Amino acid sequence: MKQADFDGKGGCIRWTESPGEEPARVYVHGLGSVSSVYHAHIASRPELTGRRSLFVDLPGHGISDRPADFGYTLEDHAGALAVALDAAGVSEAELIAHSMGGSVAIVLAGRRPDLVSRLVLTEANLDASPPPAAGSAWITAHAEDDFVDGEYARVLEAVGPLWAATMRLADPRALHRSAVGLRRGSVPIMRDILEGLSVERVYLQGELSGELPGREALEAAGVRVVTVPRAGHNVMFDNPDAFAGAVAGQV
């Protein structure tokens, strides 16, 4: 496990990694998740071994610190991720990022293009104010203090055992602020940043999640949109073969 101070006050972002050839692949989790849990089984597949792989937990999540005075906006998370990559000596990495992590990766690519050579985004949030059915809405339906003081436990019961297994490792206040930041979006908004990037961009949409809004405009901007069969939001669990193929550039 490695770490770097991301807030100038001793708060550390942490990651684990396996050695291999550059450019590195950097795996980034979604809201209330953990990078290794969602991606280690993918990085170990034969078509992906041999490359340096980092599994980064964003502030407030997993093994990273959760300072109470941190903002946890998308820009804040992207800044912390940049600190981790700089400390790890990573540049021109492939970012494989899920859901909120995809939003963070987009913001990072827009701010620090030297760190990113390729984006593989899995159902990343591209717009502000996602639909009421989005997981972040379950969290932001409550005021921050109410969520911390009791609603967090009720949300854990409601989300089901898979998401709860990693969400319970996230700090409640950090989780709420991250959800608020995700629903607020970045400036410029993530979709506009993504369409303006020049690096290779792949967007994975689970077939069971329905059609991706704005797909034609994304494809016109050079984003390769792949609909993954037999998969919902968690493509890496639902169809790991297709997911690994996409990361390897075989799909």
Side-chain angles (χ1 to χ4, degrees):
M1 182 171 64
K2 300 185 178 182
Q3 64 182 32
D5 182 335
F6 67 85
D7 64 354
K9 303 175 183 178
C12 288
I13 184 169
R14 296 187 176 90
W15 66 96
T16 57
E17 65 174 272
S18 58
E21 297 180 358
E22 305 285 349
R25 291 192 178 109
V26 178
Y27 295 87
V28 188
H29 61 84
L31 181 67
S33 298
V34 174
S35 284
S36 59
V37 172
Y38 274 68
H39 294 115
H41 68 294
I42 297 296
S44 64
R45 290 177 62 100
E47 61 266 46
L48 295 175
T49 55
R51 289 278 290 278
R52 184 184 182 191
S53 299
L54 289 77
F55 306 92
V56 184
D57 285 347
L58 296 171
H61 293 72
I63 57 177
S64 289
D65 287 340
R66 56 239 17 231
D69 58 352
F70 193 65
Y72 299 97
T73 65
L74 292 176
E75 290 86 354
D76 290 335
H77 281 304
L81 181 56
V83 167
L85 300 189
D86 284 336
V90 168
S91 62
E92 298 183 342
E94 295 185 13
L95 265 63
I96 297 91
H98 180 226
S99 198
M100 183 188 79
S103 305
V104 173
I106 292 168
V107 174
L108 177 66
R111 290 183 158 202
R112 290 286 308 274
D114 58 305
L115 295 178
V116 182
S117 63
R118 181 175 185 243
L119 290 174
V120 180
L121 307 171
T122 307
E123 297 220 349
N125 302 76
L126 300 181
D127 305 300
S129 301
S136 58
W138 298 16
I139 298 169
T140 58
H142 311 284
E144 180 177 311
D145 287 342
D146 291 340
F147 183 76
V148 172
D149 292 339
E151 295 300 334
Y152 169 64
R154 281 183 275 276
V155 168
L156 280 179
E157 292 179 359
V159 298
L162 184 68
W163 195 10
T166 56
M167 187 185 288
R168 67 189 179 191
L169 303 178
D171 176 78
R173 195 170 301 279
L175 183 64
H176 189 277
R177 291 182 186 174
S178 295
V180 169
L182 178 60
R183 295 186 68 81
R184 181 184 300 126
S186 62
V187 180
I189 200 66
M190 299 84 76
R191 184 181 295 272
D192 291 345
I193 298 173
L194 180 62
E195 291 179 352
L197 295 174
S198 58
V199 298
E200 180 184 355
R201 295 149 292 162
V202 180
Y203 190 103
L204 305 181
Q205 176 78 356
E207 177 186 36
L208 304 179
S209 297
E211 186 62 29
L212 174 65
R215 176 172 184 154
E216 291 184 0
L218 289 171
E219 292 178 329
V223 180
R224 186 169 175 231
V225 180
V226 178
T227 300
V228 181
R230 304 181 306 282
H233 187 61
N234 297 322
V235 177
M236 68 291 295
F237 294 149
D238 297 338
N239 193 337
D241 291 339
F243 186 88
V247 174
Q250 300 172 352
V251 175

